Amino acid sequence: MSRSSIFSFDTLKPDRKLPARLLESVAVLLVVEFGLARQDWTWGWIAQSPSGIFDAIETQLIEPAEGLQVVVMGSSRIQDGVSPRGLEKELGLPEGSAISLAMTSGRPFDALMLYERHREKFSKARVLVMEVAEFQFNGGFSPSERERRFATLDQRLSLYDPQNTRSMLAGWVWRTYDAQGPLRRLIKSAVKKPVTKLALTEDGRINWRNKTLEEGPETIDAAPSVHKMYHRFYMSQARLENLHKLVELAREDGLDVMLVQMPVRDSFVDIVEKKHADDYAAFVAATDKVPGVRLHRWVRGSELGLKPTDYYDYGHVTNRGSRAITTALGQKIKADFPGAFKAAKP
């Protein structure tokens, strides 16, 4: 038997096209990395997205705003709960003087980023209202898309547990890793018309919901939401420091600062008290210690006279619920900061 019948020497010949293919692959990766992943517009192109909402708030709310006196920040709970126009009426302020910069899954990190980027405008305001919620300080939560977009190297080294720290460091070096979500949406936008600008509600909020309601369901299963909020829960000191830094900047600029906990369905609280009492207590203890603020906790919706039907789900209020919370917040601001809006601020 000849050697050629056992071995195919043709298969041992070098693939002369391989180097070219490797170069082509590297070139594509570099184009994606530097042409897309490291470009700010890629992250904000799709407005109705975790990172795009940040750009929508900047361009559609902050940039045109003039004469701001009350700035509201936080998550979608306070976004649904507080009407800027309603708050102005409650406080006797002119239209356009209150602004809601709350966003879905908004954390102190997001609020701090917005404040730092637009500090000159916000420093002329009188009152900052910042929502506090358990999930915002849960160190077990994975990094958000906005954190992947904006986090500095120091924050990537300090905000997360070891597993997520490694992930954030990988994203610092290779931005394509961080930008997976925006890149997927960008590809989809080639075949489906993207939403590049969000509508505003009549009362000046980003319209994140397709349809708002006066009434929600009488009953829901709150257990999945509780599990999601408290998954791998532990209070992150680094996440808490974002809140402290935000408060410090606002107070340096002469703003009065109020922290507010939004009320949720009583059934949600019932489960938390049974299964996560220690975790909730840790959240309360940590946020109680933020210096230089007024703090108001509305834990149960029933504390404000809210009914179960005043909620869409576990904690996002309907239009009727929003009117009640807006009125209550306005009353708290007037009581806590009675002279805040009397004299013009330079």
Side-chain angles (χ1 to χ4, degrees):
M1 183 178 294
S2 66
R3 290 175 57 88
S4 61
S5 65
I6 300 175
F7 302 102
S8 176
F9 287 96
D10 289 339
T11 62
L12 300 180
K13 292 180 180 179
D15 184 352
R16 301 182 186 280
K17 296 181 180 179
L18 184 58
R21 290 170 180 167
L22 287 174
L23 288 174
E24 290 174 359
S25 298
V26 170
V28 170
L29 290 174
L30 290 175
V31 168
V32 173
E33 175 72 10
F34 292 97
L36 296 175
R38 292 180 179 269
Q39 301 303 313
D40 206 43
W41 70 267
T42 301
W43 295 80
W45 174 244
I46 310 299
Q48 198 164 22
S49 69
S51 58
I53 185 67
F54 194 96
D55 299 72
I57 285 175
E58 288 193 314
T59 58
Q60 295 182 235
L61 292 180
I62 298 176
E63 289 181 9
E66 297 291 341
L68 290 180
Q69 298 196 53
V70 182
V71 179
V72 178
M73 293 177 158
S75 76
S76 53
R77 292 187 204 174
I78 199 168
Q79 181 186 36
D80 282 347
V82 176
S83 161
R85 301 293 87 84
L87 192 59
E88 290 161 356
K89 291 179 181 178
E90 187 68 32
L91 296 172
L93 298 175
E95 183 173 327
S97 57
I99 190 171
S100 174
L101 308 178
M103 64 186 79
T104 300
S105 300
R107 304 173 184 176
F109 177 92
D110 306 305
L112 178 59
M113 283 298 304
L114 283 174
Y115 197 94
E116 289 178 333
R117 287 162 68 96
H118 302 276
R119 187 175 182 182
E120 182 178 356
K121 181 166 286 191
F122 294 152
S123 66
K124 296 179 173 62
R126 297 307 188 84
V127 175
L128 170 65
V129 178
M130 177 65 200
E131 177 203 7
V132 289
E134 311 96 301
F135 79 90
Q136 296 171 330
F137 308 99
N138 186 354
F141 269 22
S142 299
S144 71
E145 191 170 285
R146 293 185 292 270
E147 287 172 328
R148 289 193 174 279
R149 179 181 180 181
F150 292 116
T152 63
L153 180 58
D154 180 64
Q155 289 169 327
R156 289 167 187 263
L157 288 168
S158 62
L159 281 177
Y160 312 98
D161 58 24
Q163 179 179 348
N164 284 318
T165 295
R166 290 191 293 270
S167 170
M168 290 295 281
L169 288 177
W172 173 258
V173 177
W174 182 33
R175 296 295 287 146
T176 301
Y177 182 84
D178 271 351
Q180 294 176 63
L183 289 172
R184 280 195 296 268
R185 291 192 294 269
L186 190 62
I187 293 171
K188 290 180 180 179
S189 71
V191 294
K192 183 179 180 181
K193 186 178 180 180
V195 178
T196 57
K197 186 176 182 179
L198 296 177
L200 299 181
T201 62
E202 291 183 358
D203 66 351
R205 287 179 278 187
I206 289 287
N207 189 7
W208 190 257
R209 294 186 181 276
N210 292 327
K211 184 179 181 180
T212 60
L213 301 173
E214 284 293 310
E215 293 188 5
E218 178 72 34
T219 61
I220 64 159
D221 180 8
S225 296
V226 173
H227 176 74
K228 180 179 179 181
M229 296 296 168
Y230 284 90
H231 180 61
R232 298 172 56 213
F233 189 93
Y234 71 91
M235 280 296 296
S236 166
Q237 184 61 34
R239 291 187 184 276
L240 188 63
E241 286 174 3
N242 287 326
L243 177 63
H244 282 260
K245 179 63 175 177
L246 173 67
V247 171
E248 288 172 7
L249 292 181
R251 295 192 67 218
E252 283 178 12
D253 293 336
L255 277 72
D256 292 316
V257 182
M258 178 184 289
L259 303 184
V260 178
Q261 182 176 335
M262 287 287 100
V264 296
R265 277 189 189 244
D266 289 16
S267 59
F268 181 95
V269 180
D270 290 339
I271 299 174
V272 171
E273 289 179 346
K274 290 179 180 179
K275 296 187 175 182
H276 300 281
D278 290 344
D279 295 331
Y280 178 75
F283 156 71
V284 170
T287 47
D288 273 347
K289 296 176 182 177
V290 180
V293 303
R294 296 296 181 95
L295 172 62
H296 296 287
R297 295 191 191 279
W298 293 313
V299 183
R300 294 174 175 268
S302 57
E303 294 176 26
L304 289 179
L306 297 178
K307 303 174 182 178
T309 52
D310 290 330
Y311 289 93
Y312 293 102
D313 50 23
Y314 78 95
H316 297 87
V317 291
T318 62
N319 294 336
R320 192 170 64 186
S322 178
R323 290 192 291 272
I325 291 177
T326 300
T327 297
L329 179 62
Q331 291 172 350
K332 291 294 185 184
I333 291 174
K334 285 188 289 187
D336 285 355
F337 313 122
F341 309 112
K342 289 183 178 179
K345 190 174 181 180

